[in-house]
Amino acid sequence: MTSRLRLRPDGTRAPARVPLSPDDVVDAALAMVDRDGFDSLSMRGLAKEMGVYPTALYWHAGNKAQLLALVCQRVLEEIELPPLDGTAWQDWIVAMGVDARRVLGTHPHLAAYFVSQLQVSTSSLLLAERTLAVLSAAGFHGNTLLFAYNNVLGSIFGWISGEFAADPQDADSTWREHFEAELTATDTTLVPTIRSNLPLVANQAFMLRWSSGPAAPMNGSFDFMLRSLTLGLAAQLKAVSGPPHRSS
């Protein structure tokens, strides 16, 4: 059994009494990603932080890609899915979306990675199963079920990824001030609609923000998106179902 290692006063390592577990590795990796971003995660760096040899991490969690998959699974497990019975399908989608945003909002460094990598795990399968079950019970079938499902997950998780996007790479400490100044100084004749709505959209609209979700959450816009999503799906469902048949 692998154990954590502790440092002796002379700098050499001695095995600790507490054995290392896969959960320990995932917890430590998630904490590192939350603190420094997923690009900072390395097996060697994580091993040093945990006080273990890198081989111990590979034994318990596989390589870096496998570890990140376990980290994503851990985050997915934090999402509280509403019950399938007794919840209207529109309310289920809204509740799932709100909690997914809450969870990924607590792990903003992971949000973009989460949606940019294929997710295949017990947790992702459960989310997929529940979402498909809700939509199927609502009356979506065949290709329409597939399209509705992709609209739900794509809209919700794509939004979350965009809202909690990281700062530009290699951005200096003043890039936000520069961006804000450039936005407010842009020629009115070039972007008249932006300039006339600047107090409304500045730092609250995609492509017009200089702060990410943790600093400038887009709560109202996200709620509006969820309502628009469910209303649009309901309209599509009505269109494919056709008018009710009248008895002669």
Side-chain angles (χ1 to χ4, degrees):
M1 180 177 294
T2 306
S3 298
R4 289 178 181 270
L5 302 178
R6 64 174 183 270
L7 293 178
R8 295 190 180 98
D10 63 359
T12 60
R13 290 178 172 180
R17 295 179 181 178
V18 180
L20 185 68
S21 72
D23 284 341
D24 293 331
V25 179
V26 175
D27 289 342
L30 179 56
M32 179 176 282
V33 170
D34 285 342
R35 187 186 67 221
D36 302 321
F38 71 88
D39 285 332
S40 69
L41 181 64
S42 70
M43 303 302 280
R44 185 174 297 276
L46 181 61
K48 181 178 180 181
E49 183 162 305
M50 296 184 70
V52 301
Y53 293 113
T55 52
L57 303 187
Y58 289 106
W59 174 265
H60 286 289
N63 58 30
K64 180 180 176 180
Q66 292 170 317
L67 175 56
L68 278 169
L70 292 173
V71 169
C72 289
Q73 179 171 331
R74 174 66 56 81
V75 172
L76 269 178
E77 290 170 353
E78 296 179 15
I79 300 175
E80 296 182 8
L81 299 179
L84 293 178
D85 297 331
T87 303
W89 67 269
Q90 298 97 325
D91 294 337
W92 192 96
I93 290 172
V94 169
M96 182 271 286
V98 167
D99 207 60
R101 179 172 175 263
R102 175 191 66 81
V103 168
L104 283 172
T106 64
H107 307 288
H109 290 304
L110 195 64
Y113 178 86
F114 182 88
V115 298
S116 65
Q117 304 294 314
L118 293 177
Q119 301 293 327
V120 181
S121 66
T122 302
S123 299
S124 63
L125 289 177
L126 179 61
L127 174 61
E129 168 60 28
R130 295 279 182 86
T131 306
L132 284 168
V134 166
L135 293 171
S136 179
F140 293 95
H141 301 293
N143 282 339
T144 307
L145 173 62
L146 171 65
F147 300 155
Y149 169 83
N150 284 336
N151 268 259
V152 168
L153 294 193
S155 297
I156 291 173
F157 288 96
W159 175 288
I160 294 170
S161 174
E163 181 178 359
F164 294 100
D167 292 347
Q169 290 185 350
D170 301 324
D172 59 32
S173 59
T174 62
W175 79 267
R176 291 184 179 84
E177 290 80 1
H178 291 162
F179 182 85
E180 182 179 3
E182 182 178 354
L183 181 63
T184 56
T186 304
D187 186 353
T188 303
T189 60
L190 180 64
V191 288
T193 309
I194 292 177
R195 288 300 301 274
S196 63
N197 289 279
L198 194 59
L200 177 68
V201 301
N203 210 29
Q204 277 293 304
F206 289 122
M207 299 187 182
L208 302 174
R209 300 183 302 152
W210 53 86
S211 298
S212 188
M218 304 168 72
N219 298 329
S221 294
F222 184 74
D223 292 341
F224 187 87
M225 182 277 291
L226 288 177
R227 291 196 302 272
S228 301
L229 173 63
T230 54
L231 286 170
L233 288 173
Q236 289 283 1
L237 182 60
K238 183 177 180 180
V240 298
S241 300
H245 295 288
R246 294 182 178 180
S247 58
S248 56

